[in-house]
Amino acid sequence: MSQDFEPKNIIVTGGCGFIGSNFVHHVVREHPGVHVTVLDKLTYAGNPENIAGLPEDRVELVVGDICDAELLERIVPGHDAIVHYAAESHNDNSIANPEPFLRTNVEGTYQLLEACRKFDVRYHHVSTDEVYGDLALDDPARFTEETPYRPSSPYSSTKASSDLLVRAWHRTFGVRATISNCSNNYGPYQHVEKFIPRQITNILDGQRPKLYGDGKNVRDWIHTEDHSSAVWTILTKGVLGETYLIGADGERDNLTVLRDILTVMGKDPDDFDWVRDRPGHDRRYAIDSSKLRRELGWKPVHTDFQKGLEQTIAWYTEHEDWWRPAKGATEAKYRAQGQ
Ligand code: NAD
Ligand code: DAU
């Protein structure tokens, strides 16, 4: 069933993380009548600074765990929708210790779906292209909504599990749900454990960037602001029960991205270290987002990756106070892993 949904009071889980906080900024800026309750556990990846300064009458932060059913019983009634971003999101962490991924990504999604079922609240599930596994470098294909699930890592297998829960809760219990699977995001507020911020902050810190394996792995980059506009479009115009792939035609291999960063930052493009590869490292992701563009009229705006990368480098250069507190512990963890 198609819909034209105008939410006024939404919960954004994980709204103090990278993509969730960018979505909260997007909603406050673009949709003036909407109030946002951020539900966030403030794990190592959650930072209340990410939403600091937003108007208090528009955004409320509830610090809590999505697995806490009693908390959900208290806060979910009265909201029109839950947009679910909260997750353990980093592949390397899931290889070092999968347990929190099972709890937050699978059990947490289950608890949110149960709350939506009980209080008849619209649910949008933010997922990843990694549920589809990977593609060969020379494969002309891209992922579509029909591609079979074939996740490779503990992280992506828990995200795939959560997607399947959403489908079941929609079909069996009639939960008003949609799913989006997006490609690799970049932009402000991304944790320094992730590829682009890690390399930028290494260079700012006088350290050499670190490239896994042979550097030929391809990721399909999208500016996080375009991800936000796509999620809002699906929340308000999406067909219930449907899945939409989100992407901006941004395929690039890691070596090329790293050399771009080094060049923009005035360094020799070969001034980096090759380090131990990620076990099970997915080779290539590529998204065909034509369903979302054709059926809901969405399109990305930040299509100049080079410009977006330069703006992101400028943001990290100007916000050392934001990333500095997490940098030491993140690099210590990587050092212990030989990366
Ligand atoms: P992130 O790690 O930056 O942020 C995750 C947020 O969730 C943090 O604020 C954290 O405190 C919170 N959180 C974690 N466990 C929680 C719990 N049990 N209860 C409440 N809050 C909890 O993640 P991100 O990169 O912003 O990713 C957000 C979502 O988007 C995830 O679902 C991820 O799978 C998905 N996604 C990410 C990308 C990407 O490129 N980063 C691409 C596609 C999809
Ligand atoms: O595709 C969407 C996914 O993108 C999201 O679901 C994940 O939450 C998000 O973390 C991201 O996953 P990746 O594993 O692709 O992102 P990451 O930033 O960890 O790594 C990007 C690529 O860079 C990957 O091929 C591994 C490589 N890499 C990463 C780091 C941290 C390096 O070469 N060196 C590094 O130091």
Side-chain angles (χ1 to χ4, degrees):
M1 186 188 67
S2 177
Q3 58 155 2
D4 202 11
F5 179 58
E6 290 181 17
K8 293 283 171 230
N9 202 7
I10 65 174
I11 292 178
V12 175
T13 71
C16 291
F18 163 46
I19 309 181
S21 66
N22 276 286
F23 180 74
V24 174
H25 282 269
H26 175 88
V27 172
V28 168
R29 199 176 52 244
E30 304 291 331
H31 305 287
V34 179
H35 181 272
V36 180
T37 303
V38 170
L39 172 59
D40 199 299
K41 188 180 172 183
L42 300 183
T43 67
Y44 79 96
N47 186 345
E49 286 299 312
N50 297 6
I51 53 168
L54 292 174
E56 281 175 20
D57 60 339
R58 302 285 312 282
V59 180
E60 181 193 358
L61 171 60
V62 175
V63 178
D65 191 332
I66 56 168
C67 299
D68 183 344
E70 284 176 17
L71 172 66
L72 296 180
E73 293 249 342
R74 278 204 308 282
I75 70 165
V76 171
H79 289 90
D80 314 313
I82 294 179
V83 184
H84 177 35
Y85 285 93
E88 288 293 337
S89 69
H90 192 38
N91 275 297
D92 293 319
N93 292 346
S94 81
I95 295 164
N97 178 20
E99 199 276 337
F101 290 73
L102 284 154
R103 197 174 134 66
T104 287
N105 299 0
V106 184
E107 188 191 337
T109 299
Y110 159 71
Q111 295 295 358
L112 291 168
L113 286 167
E114 282 292 83
C116 286
R117 172 156 86 108
K118 184 161 181 184
F119 300 110
D120 189 23
V121 169
R122 168 84 167 85
Y123 177 85
H124 179 71
H125 186 70
V126 178
S127 192
T128 170
D129 58 359
E130 297 194 16
V131 300
Y132 301 113
D134 63 353
L135 299 158
L137 294 181
D138 60 358
D139 187 342
R142 300 194 291 174
F143 299 138
T144 73
E145 288 78 6
E146 275 69 52
T147 304
Y149 274 37
R150 199 172 58 88
S152 320
S153 74
Y155 162 68
S156 55
S157 62
T158 59
K159 291 297 291 188
S161 308
S162 68
D163 292 9
L164 299 185
L165 294 179
V166 179
R167 291 180 184 193
W169 260 243
H170 169 71
R171 177 165 168 158
T172 304
F173 301 121
V175 169
R176 292 177 290 129
T178 42
I179 300 175
S180 56
N181 299 81
C182 188
S183 60
N184 283 63
N185 284 221
Y186 73 98
Y189 300 114
Q190 188 169 28
H191 195 277
V192 291
E193 69 191 355
K194 302 287 173 20
F195 179 58
I196 288 178
R198 184 182 186 207
Q199 314 312 337
I200 296 170
T201 54
N202 269 9
I203 296 167
L204 291 171
D205 225 4
Q207 307 295 320
R208 284 160 69 88
K210 312 289 179 200
L211 192 62
Y212 294 177
D214 62 8
K216 290 185 182 152
N217 304 66
V218 169
R219 296 295 182 263
D220 189 354
W221 294 99
I222 181 172
H223 195 282
T224 193
E225 176 61 21
D226 283 329
H227 188 180
S228 293
S229 67
V231 166
W232 184 263
T233 301
I234 297 165
L235 177 69
T236 54
K237 298 199 179 93
V239 177
L240 299 180
E242 288 294 304
T243 290
Y244 298 89
L245 264 53
I246 305 173
D249 303 328
E251 279 188 70
R252 269 173 185 70
D253 68 62
N254 294 340
L255 178 59
T256 301
V257 174
L258 180 53
R259 287 195 164 137
D260 278 354
I261 294 171
L262 282 156
T263 305
V264 172
M265 296 183 76
K267 303 288 176 194
D268 182 325
D270 289 323
D271 199 6
F272 64 86
D273 295 331
W274 299 96
V275 295
R276 187 173 77 84
D277 204 0
R278 171 184 288 171
H281 196 175
D282 280 340
R283 203 56 168 155
R284 170 174 161 251
Y285 305 140
I287 286 271
D288 176 351
S289 61
S290 50
K291 174 179 172 181
L292 174 61
R293 297 176 193 228
R294 190 180 58 248
E295 295 184 6
L296 305 187
W298 172 84
K299 61 175 193 291
V301 173
H302 301 268
T303 47
D304 182 344
F305 178 77
Q306 185 66 26
K307 188 171 158 208
L309 188 63
E310 287 171 18
Q311 288 168 343
T312 304
I313 291 169
W315 190 88
Y316 282 90
T317 306
E318 289 156 16
H319 291 83
E320 180 172 350
D321 55 331
W322 182 87
W323 58 263
R324 174 61 64 196
K327 185 67 180 165
T330 303
E331 286 307 311
K333 201 152 68 177
Y334 277 127
R335 258 195 311 281
Q337 290 170 186
Q339 293 176 316

